[in-house]
Amino acid sequence: MSNRRIQMPREVYIDPGIIKDTGEICKSLHLDKKILIVTGNHTFDVGAKPVMESLEKEDIEFDVIKVDRASYESISEVEELITADTTVLGVGGGKVIDVAKLSSYNQGVYFVSMPTTASHDGIVSPLASIKNPNTSISATAHSPIAVIADSEILAQSPFRLLAAGCADLIANFTAIKDWELAHRLKNESFSESAAALSIMSAHLITDNIANIKPNLEPSARIVMKSLFSGGMAISIAGSSRPASGSEHLFSHALDKILDKPALHGEQCGIGTIMMMYLHGGDWKAIRNSLKAVQAPTTAKELGIAEEDIIEALMMAHEIRPERYTILGDNGISKEAAYELAYKTEVI
């Protein structure tokens, strides 16, 4: 019997204009003693300002800090402003949310996730991606006490970010295949409910692909709800397994190789095409879904050299050796990597 605790947000709001109710929501959850808003330079005007206005209206005391990188340096700066009665509001994109999440976890205070883009599933998961000098690592944190996602703001963010969020969700299809493989071959623990929720999240995208268009609030709401349920699958599993397999290892390998990687979701999307081919699945359906949301499907569209794709495929199995995937323990040869990228038309 496992005594592992499953953390879930207490309240979730995914609505147009909901950001204006931030103060009321914080009061209703008794999180109104002192607020620290963690935001970014790009998201200050669109996100932090309306939050500040809402908190002022409810006479809630707050501080604001801007961060530009998801680094341990940024986390330390935020932690210095946290006291025992602080609630941390992460208002911004993935980097801001990750810094807010980990700094609040380290200081043992509540965290509210307020995404301004729907670009990946870290918005609600209990994991944070933090940059080291050479790579990014996945750090254990906690789930937000609440999620306040203004679908109007999400819809106004660059569509490329929303498309990347869709691609990150489509990656669940191969992540689950890898998890099932590890369960069969390595007797790794497996959660049917987490896997089912992860696949449902991916299907929410592929089944609604025709409705996901730029600057449409209902489109942003579909993607945000899918990211939320995908994040819940991670909480249930107690690991990123339901949403991160060989396609994510490929993306992390690219992060190591490249000076300027593409968006996380974009790289994972291309990885999903190739890993689905290795699994013997319908990789063309994956590619068509990515094309439909205007996510890249080739090295050229990704802005990455073909040789970097090959190198990433060859080193992907080394990124998390404890995580067994279709790439096996020894990875794939240069010839096999080239053939894989060529057959799937990535190169």
Side-chain angles (χ1 to χ4, degrees), residues 91-106:
V91 185
K95 292 180 183 128
V96 165
I97 301 273
D98 283 339
V99 169
K101 190 191 294 182
L102 203 54
S103 55
S104 60
Y105 173 74
N106 290 345

PDB file of all heavy atoms in Angstrom, residues 91-106:
ATOM      1  N   VAL A  91       2.600  35.021 -12.330  1.00  0.00           N
ATOM      2  CA  VAL A  91       1.805  35.633 -13.398  1.00  0.00           C
ATOM      3  C   VAL A  91       2.691  35.768 -14.639  1.00  0.00           C
ATOM      4  O   VAL A  91       3.497  36.693 -14.743  1.00  0.00           O
ATOM      5  CB  VAL A  91       1.261  37.024 -12.985  1.00  0.00           C
ATOM      6  CG1 VAL A  91       0.331  37.576 -14.055  1.00  0.00           C
ATOM      7  CG2 VAL A  91       0.555  36.962 -11.635  1.00  0.00           C
ATOM      8  N   GLY A  92       2.582  34.820 -15.563  1.00  0.00           N
ATOM      9  CA  GLY A  92       3.428  34.889 -16.747  1.00  0.00           C
ATOM     10  C   GLY A  92       3.482  33.575 -17.495  1.00  0.00           C
ATOM     11  O   GLY A  92       2.578  32.747 -17.391  1.00  0.00           O
ATOM     12  N   GLY A  93       4.572  33.389 -18.239  1.00  0.00           N
ATOM     13  CA  GLY A  93       4.765  32.170 -19.021  1.00  0.00           C
ATOM     14  C   GLY A  93       5.416  31.076 -18.192  1.00  0.00           C
ATOM     15  O   GLY A  93       5.494  31.165 -16.957  1.00  0.00           O
ATOM     16  N   GLY A  94       5.916  30.055 -18.889  1.00  0.00           N
ATOM     17  CA  GLY A  94       6.456  28.876 -18.214  1.00  0.00           C
ATOM     18  C   GLY A  94       7.592  29.160 -17.263  1.00  0.00           C
ATOM     19  O   GLY A  94       7.642  28.623 -16.158  1.00  0.00           O
ATOM     20  N   LYS A  95       8.523  30.043 -17.646  1.00  0.00           N
ATOM     21  CA  LYS A  95       9.688  30.342 -16.798  1.00  0.00           C
ATOM     22  C   LYS A  95       9.249  30.993 -15.492  1.00  0.00           C
ATOM     23  O   LYS A  95       9.719  30.644 -14.413  1.00  0.00           O
ATOM     24  CB  LYS A  95      10.650  31.276 -17.539  1.00  0.00           C
ATOM     25  CG  LYS A  95      11.331  30.619 -18.724  1.00  0.00           C
ATOM     26  CD  LYS A  95      12.276  31.588 -19.414  1.00  0.00           C
ATOM     27  CE  LYS A  95      12.884  30.928 -20.640  1.00  0.00           C
ATOM     28  NZ  LYS A  95      12.759  31.696 -21.838  1.00  0.00           N
ATOM     29  N   VAL A  96       8.347  31.962 -15.606  1.00  0.00           N
ATOM     30  CA  VAL A  96       7.837  32.670 -14.417  1.00  0.00           C
ATOM     31  C   VAL A  96       7.126  31.693 -13.483  1.00  0.00           C
ATOM     32  O   VAL A  96       7.359  31.684 -12.269  1.00  0.00           O
ATOM     33  CB  VAL A  96       6.878  33.810 -14.845  1.00  0.00           C
ATOM     34  CG1 VAL A  96       6.052  34.312 -13.665  1.00  0.00           C
ATOM     35  CG2 VAL A  96       7.664  34.960 -15.474  1.00  0.00           C
ATOM     36  N   ILE A  97       6.264  30.851 -14.058  1.00  0.00           N
ATOM     37  CA  ILE A  97       5.504  29.872 -13.260  1.00  0.00           C
ATOM     38  C   ILE A  97       6.464  28.923 -12.539  1.00  0.00           C
ATOM     39  O   ILE A  97       6.280  28.625 -11.357  1.00  0.00           O
ATOM     40  CB  ILE A  97       4.536  29.060 -14.163  1.00  0.00           C
ATOM     41  CG1 ILE A  97       3.550  29.983 -14.881  1.00  0.00           C
ATOM     42  CG2 ILE A  97       3.846  27.956 -13.379  1.00  0.00           C
ATOM     43  CD1 ILE A  97       2.289  30.353 -14.188  1.00  0.00           C
ATOM     44  N   ASP A  98       7.497  28.453 -13.235  1.00  0.00           N
ATOM     45  CA  ASP A  98       8.449  27.519 -12.629  1.00  0.00           C
ATOM     46  C   ASP A  98       9.205  28.159 -11.469  1.00  0.00           C
ATOM     47  O   ASP A  98       9.414  27.528 -10.428  1.00  0.00           O
ATOM     48  CB  ASP A  98       9.433  26.994 -13.679  1.00  0.00           C
ATOM     49  CG  ASP A  98       8.827  25.926 -14.584  1.00  0.00           C
ATOM     50  OD1 ASP A  98       7.821  25.315 -14.172  1.00  0.00           O
ATOM     51  OD2 ASP A  98       9.341  25.703 -15.685  1.00  0.00           O
ATOM     52  N   VAL A  99       9.624  29.416 -11.630  1.00  0.00           N
ATOM     53  CA  VAL A  99      10.336  30.118 -10.554  1.00  0.00           C
ATOM     54  C   VAL A  99       9.410  30.324  -9.352  1.00  0.00           C
ATOM     55  O   VAL A  99       9.800  30.088  -8.199  1.00  0.00           O
ATOM     56  CB  VAL A  99      10.905  31.472 -11.054  1.00  0.00           C
ATOM     57  CG1 VAL A  99      11.410  32.320  -9.892  1.00  0.00           C
ATOM     58  CG2 VAL A  99      12.026  31.238 -12.060  1.00  0.00           C
ATOM     59  N   ALA A 100       8.180  30.762  -9.614  1.00  0.00           N
ATOM     60  CA  ALA A 100       7.206  30.974  -8.530  1.00  0.00           C
ATOM     61  C   ALA A 100       6.907  29.666  -7.803  1.00  0.00           C
ATOM     62  O   ALA A 100       6.825  29.619  -6.569  1.00  0.00           O
ATOM     63  CB  ALA A 100       5.926  31.573  -9.100  1.00  0.00           C
ATOM     64  N   LYS A 101       6.781  28.605  -8.582  1.00  0.00           N
ATOM     65  CA  LYS A 101       6.436  27.285  -8.030  1.00  0.00           C
ATOM     66  C   LYS A 101       7.538  26.765  -7.106  1.00  0.00           C
ATOM     67  O   LYS A 101       7.272  26.324  -5.981  1.00  0.00           O
ATOM     68  CB  LYS A 101       6.229  26.314  -9.200  1.00  0.00           C
ATOM     69  CG  LYS A 101       5.630  24.973  -8.827  1.00  0.00           C
ATOM     70  CD  LYS A 101       5.701  23.988  -9.988  1.00  0.00           C
ATOM     71  CE  LYS A 101       4.846  24.392 -11.159  1.00  0.00           C
ATOM     72  NZ  LYS A 101       4.885  23.393 -12.251  1.00  0.00           N
ATOM     73  N   LEU A 102       8.782  26.830  -7.572  1.00  0.00           N
ATOM     74  CA  LEU A 102       9.875  26.246  -6.802  1.00  0.00           C
ATOM     75  C   LEU A 102      10.264  27.111  -5.605  1.00  0.00           C
ATOM     76  O   LEU A 102      10.559  26.587  -4.530  1.00  0.00           O
ATOM     77  CB  LEU A 102      11.095  26.005  -7.702  1.00  0.00           C
ATOM     78  CG  LEU A 102      12.078  24.936  -7.210  1.00  0.00           C
ATOM     79  CD1 LEU A 102      11.390  23.603  -6.933  1.00  0.00           C
ATOM     80  CD2 LEU A 102      13.197  24.730  -8.205  1.00  0.00           C
ATOM     81  N   SER A 103      10.238  28.434  -5.774  1.00  0.00           N
ATOM     82  CA  SER A 103      10.583  29.308  -4.644  1.00  0.00           C
ATOM     83  C   SER A 103       9.536  29.191  -3.521  1.00  0.00           C
ATOM     84  O   SER A 103       9.889  29.157  -2.340  1.00  0.00           O
ATOM     85  CB  SER A 103      10.730  30.763  -5.100  1.00  0.00           C
ATOM     86  OG  SER A 103       9.572  31.208  -5.758  1.00  0.00           O
ATOM     87  N   SER A 104       8.257  29.092  -3.897  1.00  0.00           N
ATOM     88  CA  SER A 104       7.199  28.941  -2.874  1.00  0.00           C
ATOM     89  C   SER A 104       7.313  27.577  -2.190  1.00  0.00           C
ATOM     90  O   SER A 104       7.123  27.455  -0.975  1.00  0.00           O
ATOM     91  CB  SER A 104       5.815  29.107  -3.503  1.00  0.00           C
ATOM     92  OG  SER A 104       5.588  28.132  -4.506  1.00  0.00           O
ATOM     93  N   TYR A 105       7.648  26.553  -2.965  1.00  0.00           N
ATOM     94  CA  TYR A 105       7.822  25.194  -2.407  1.00  0.00           C
ATOM     95  C   TYR A 105       8.978  25.176  -1.411  1.00  0.00           C
ATOM     96  O   TYR A 105       8.857  24.630  -0.303  1.00  0.00           O
ATOM     97  CB  TYR A 105       8.078  24.218  -3.552  1.00  0.00           C
ATOM     98  CG  TYR A 105       8.450  22.816  -3.118  1.00  0.00           C
ATOM     99  CD1 TYR A 105       7.493  21.950  -2.597  1.00  0.00           C
ATOM    100  CD2 TYR A 105       9.766  22.358  -3.246  1.00  0.00           C
ATOM    101  CE1 TYR A 105       7.829  20.666  -2.206  1.00  0.00           C
ATOM    102  CE2 TYR A 105      10.111  21.071  -2.865  1.00  0.00           C
ATOM    103  CZ  TYR A 105       9.139  20.228  -2.348  1.00  0.00           C
ATOM    104  OH  TYR A 105       9.480  18.945  -1.967  1.00  0.00           O
ATOM    105  N   ASN A 106      10.092  25.790  -1.793  1.00  0.00           N
ATOM    106  CA  ASN A 106      11.273  25.815  -0.917  1.00  0.00           C
ATOM    107  C   ASN A 106      10.996  26.543   0.399  1.00  0.00           C
ATOM    108  O   ASN A 106      11.566  26.201   1.427  1.00  0.00           O
ATOM    109  CB  ASN A 106      12.452  26.496  -1.630  1.00  0.00           C
ATOM    110  CG  ASN A 106      13.015  25.654  -2.762  1.00  0.00           C
ATOM    111  OD1 ASN A 106      12.728  24.459  -2.860  1.00  0.00           O
ATOM    112  ND2 ASN A 106      13.803  26.271  -3.631  1.00  0.00           N
TER     113      ASN A 106
END
